[in-house]
Amino acid sequence: EPEVTQTPSHQVTQMGQEVILRCVPISNHLYFYWYRQILGQKVEFLVSFYNNEISEKSEIFDDQFSVERPDGSNFTLKIRSTKLEDSAMYFCASSWTANQPQHFGDGTRLSIL
Amino acid sequence: GQNIDQPTEMTATEGAIVQINCTYQTSGFNGLFWYQQHAGEAPTFLSYNVLDGLEEKGRFSSFLSRSKGYSYLLLKELQMKDSASYLCAVPLGSNYQLIWGAGTKLIIKP
């Protein structure tokens, strides 16, 4: 069964550094999402992406965040200058259409020191 | 704002039945999803209810009442592997981005 893959599984970075989290969505999916989950808290929506542009973003997704689909397969989340509070599990998800179930990758655990 | 409420934790016995409730107050409604999440892992899809009523899928069933803003997930014949968090989520916006409840941690005892 096709799956969403995320790399790296764990990223440790110094505060103020840039990080790029990578995702390969399921190949025929058209809608892409990033979510985050701070340890012990609920999953939070960050951004949705369709037709090569951001569709919607949450208040969390400020100017420090950006997303890109540099080629036909990868979908990346960049945090320009990380803060301690960015430490979380980041999940990428994709779906064929908007009203179909979203499939999640295994996540990247981001630890900011 | 959006509000999705679930009990924080529930305990049940192996072989028994458990019902996990979810109430929601959201600015729009496009159905309700249930996901399972084992500790440290990604959420995995369980069910999607758009219309009122009960949908059964093996040992798991999900119910929706739009007029009451209420859903539940029913798990039958509980197995130890069902120990996980169960998350309800409402899709909102043009891309149906998921707005999540805090999840219910289900503990199964032998």
Side-chain angles (χ1 to χ4, degrees):
Chain A
E1 184 176 326
E3 57 182 28
V4 176
T5 57
Q6 289 187 243
T7 55
S9 57
H10 193 188
Q11 174 84 45
V12 181
T13 302
Q14 292 287 330
M15 185 173 59
Q17 296 297 305
E18 174 184 286
V19 294
I20 297 176
L21 310 183
R22 304 183 189 279
C23 170
V24 179
I26 294 173
S27 62
N28 63 345
H29 283 187
L30 301 177
Y31 291 80
F32 313 114
Y33 309 83
W34 283 101
Y35 296 88
R36 80 172 186 189
Q37 188 174 30
I38 295 171
L39 188 63
Q41 298 187 22
K42 66 180 179 181
V43 179
E44 299 174 288
F45 166 70
L46 293 178
V47 65
S48 60
F49 192 89
Y50 170 72
N51 202 25
N52 284 319
E53 61 183 19
I54 290 174
S55 300
E56 295 197 43
K57 56 186 180 180
S58 71
E59 292 177 353
I60 302 168
F61 195 89
D62 61 21
D63 291 344
Q64 295 300 312
F65 290 84
S66 62
V67 290
E68 199 176 45
R69 188 156 162 81
D71 53 43
S73 59
N74 290 284
F75 179 50
T76 62
L77 174 70
K78 181 194 290 187
I79 309 175
R80 263 180 273 281
S81 178
T82 50
K83 303 187 283 283
L84 293 176
E85 54 264 39
D86 293 329
S87 294
M89 182 76 96
Y90 288 80
F91 292 108
C92 173
S94 70
S95 61
W96 163 234
T97 63
N99 63 352
Q100 291 293 308
Q102 293 172 28
H103 296 259
F104 285 76
D106 287 337
T108 293
R109 181 169 299 284
L110 179 62
S111 301
I112 308 299
L113 306 179
Chain B
Q2 325 295 352
N3 202 33
I4 301 175
D5 288 319
Q6 308 178 234
T8 303
E9 187 174 295
M10 299 182 70
T11 303
T13 305
E14 191 177 13
I17 299 174
V18 71
Q19 177 175 311
I20 302 173
N21 296 326
C22 173
T23 58
Y24 62 89
Q25 291 176 307
T26 55
S27 56
F29 188 72
N30 298 308
L32 188 141
F33 284 91
W34 284 96
Y35 279 80
Q36 180 191 60
Q37 186 180 32
H38 284 99
E41 298 183 10
T44 55
F45 168 73
L46 291 177
S47 66
Y48 180 35
N49 293 66
V50 179
L51 301 176
D52 291 351
L54 184 69
E55 293 205 6
E56 299 186 67
K57 196 185 292 186
R59 294 190 299 116
F60 292 9
S61 303
S62 55
F63 172 84
L64 177 66
S65 169
R66 288 173 295 172
S67 62
K68 295 181 179 177
Y70 166 68
S71 174
Y72 68 73
L73 181 70
L74 191 72
L75 292 75
K76 303 176 186 176
E77 301 170 18
L78 286 170
Q79 302 174 8
M80 297 304 292
K81 67 178 182 179
D82 297 330
S83 292
S85 287
Y86 292 85
L87 317 179
C88 64
V90 173
L92 296 176
S94 57
N95 280 9
Y96 282 39
Q97 48 266 20
L98 296 175
I99 307 302
W100 301 80
T104 298
K105 183 178 180 180
L106 178 63
I107 300 168
I108 310 296
K109 295 186 174 179

